[in-house]
Amino acid sequence: MKIGLFCFHFVNTNNPDIITAIDTLYQCGVRHFVFSPGSRNAPILRAIRQHADAQIYPIVDERSAAFFGLGISQYHGKPAVLICTSGSALLNYGPALAEAFYQGISLIALSADRPKAWIDQADGQAIRQDQLFASHTKYSKSLMKSGGDPEVLWYNQRTVNEAVEASTEGKAGPVHLNIPLSEPLYQFEPSAVRQTRTFQSINGSGASLPEIPRNLLESQRILILVGQLPKNELINRVLGDLSLLPQAVILTETTSNVFISRDVSQIDNVLNLIPRDAQTYQPEILITLGGMVVSKKIKQYLRKTRDLFHLHIGSELIPPDTYQALQMHYRTDIYTGLSHLRNQLKPTPSDFGQQWLSLQERVNLRRAKFQENVGWSDFAVYAQLLPWLPVNTHLQLGNSSVIRYAQLFEKRKDITYFANRGVSGIDGCTSTAVGYASQNKQSTVLISGDLSFLYDANGLWNAFVPNNFVAFVINNGGGNIFRIIDGPTEMEELETYIESHHQMSVEPIAHLHGFAYFSAKGPVELRNILNQLRNQAVKTIVEIFTDHLKNPIELNAYWEFLKQ
């Protein structure tokens, strides 16, 4: 075992667990690092770059990256390290790790992970990464969050040493090290300790569900948050009834597929207008239903809300505690649970719901005004594209920036919205859309980012793509999402390693698979293409080019314009 003394480097990432892992790997002789871009693993990159002779290979596709690392290990007879972000990215290492396992090649998979507390809690990219490849690796462990505790740092260093030894001793093979990382990722601060609590789970149909708690009956501030759901007219109807209560507000997203007249459907826009610490907008009661919620802002807002009582409605055996306030669970179907609430809740004197609705009315006016003068950008594309969608379109939304931009505009009742938000990965959006389109008689439209589309280009490699399928690929030359979220923009490695800026077009892919192809680099070109598509019945790819530097400028200008 190769345990020895080493010194921590003074680096911009000051997470001691990352520094321990990378310095220990380096001390063990590892020099080759295959890095796939992401946000949660970005601080790991910064630690690697403190070693001048470290060889870093940025490869976007994790599946390909893993085999690329396998080839390096084949050549040198020493392990290369694969580094990926959390969630579905890690799943793509499976084929190469299996090959390394049976071929006897040393290989180290190093995955960034969400904190253990958030696994299975309906937070993006928070899957069960620990022991994920246990059956096809020689060693598999998660490091511990140390907070600088010397004993835990010692454990982490020992674990990394054991992994390297397991990979190289005897018959060589792959190993997996998992590093749970808490936010903020780009600076290291202690988090506040929340009070302990329990939650009560209640089974039953509407008849057997108990009287709802008195604090809910008497509350003047009830927020109902709807996650991802298929269209359901019964749920729409009961939510419409609940929205008439003056003390209640219904928050929905495009993927909620809820269409009522009194809901707040542009959550991020509205939250941008709420003054900091304005308690009149803070709920006393949170009621959740459905699957994943896209908005990171609402998650952060609710997690900071004090004395919040959270009731979840759904058939899950164990409900996710996404907002760190869960106290009651109605384990029943959503319609039954909502009907139970509707039948017992009576209006209370309150302007809570109207306060939220008034903010959305202001958003709609301000956004319309902003769109009059917005420069060519991703924002301008969505402003032009979303209203154009044909009636009864089944819309498949890509992840990362696509799903986030879609939430900034009014959803349409005649559209059905879909997205891979279970894990929120980019790796199968095209294939999912094509599979759906193969069964759908009506129009299926995919809106995808360029990296998502290139990553899953094999989704077009089949004989089942119907002529009523149209893919819009917004090509901003890389993972532009990393320019509109906090953290990566402060890193000098952003463009080369994180954003993975490129000059590729999807036109060759369109021709390869027999698609009609159009491209637009401005609003007039896009408008002409959209007009032409109304009379076209052939599978089509439309590539829309925007400037990766101008996009965040226009988006930030929009946020500021809303506040004026």
Side-chain angles (χ1 to χ4, degrees), residues 40 114-115 145 181-185 187 189 191 296 300:
R40 194 150 299 256
R114 302 292 166 127
K145 183 178 177 181
L181 298 173
S182 298
E183 295 184 10
L185 298 174
Q187 54 189 7
E189 300 173 354
S191 58
K296 190 173 183 178
Q300 294 171 337

Side-chain angles (χ1 to χ4, degrees), residues 423-478:
V423 178
S424 310
I426 69 169
D427 37 357
C429 298
T430 302
S431 296
T432 302
V434 169
Y436 185 94
S438 73
Q439 309 300 307
N440 182 30
K441 302 294 185 185
Q442 295 173 309
S443 171
T444 301
V445 172
L446 167 68
I447 303 178
S448 174
D450 52 324
L451 284 191
S452 298
F453 196 80
L454 291 167
Y455 195 117
D456 194 25
N458 280 346
L460 307 177
W461 186 17
N462 63 69
F464 309 107
V465 186
N467 284 329
N468 62 359
F469 177 75
V470 179
F472 292 92
V473 181
I474 301 174
N475 190 339
N476 46 43

Side-chain angles (χ1 to χ4, degrees), residues 2-7 27 157:
K2 310 171 185 67
I3 292 182
L5 296 175
F6 63 93
C7 297
Q27 185 178 320
Q157 181 186 354

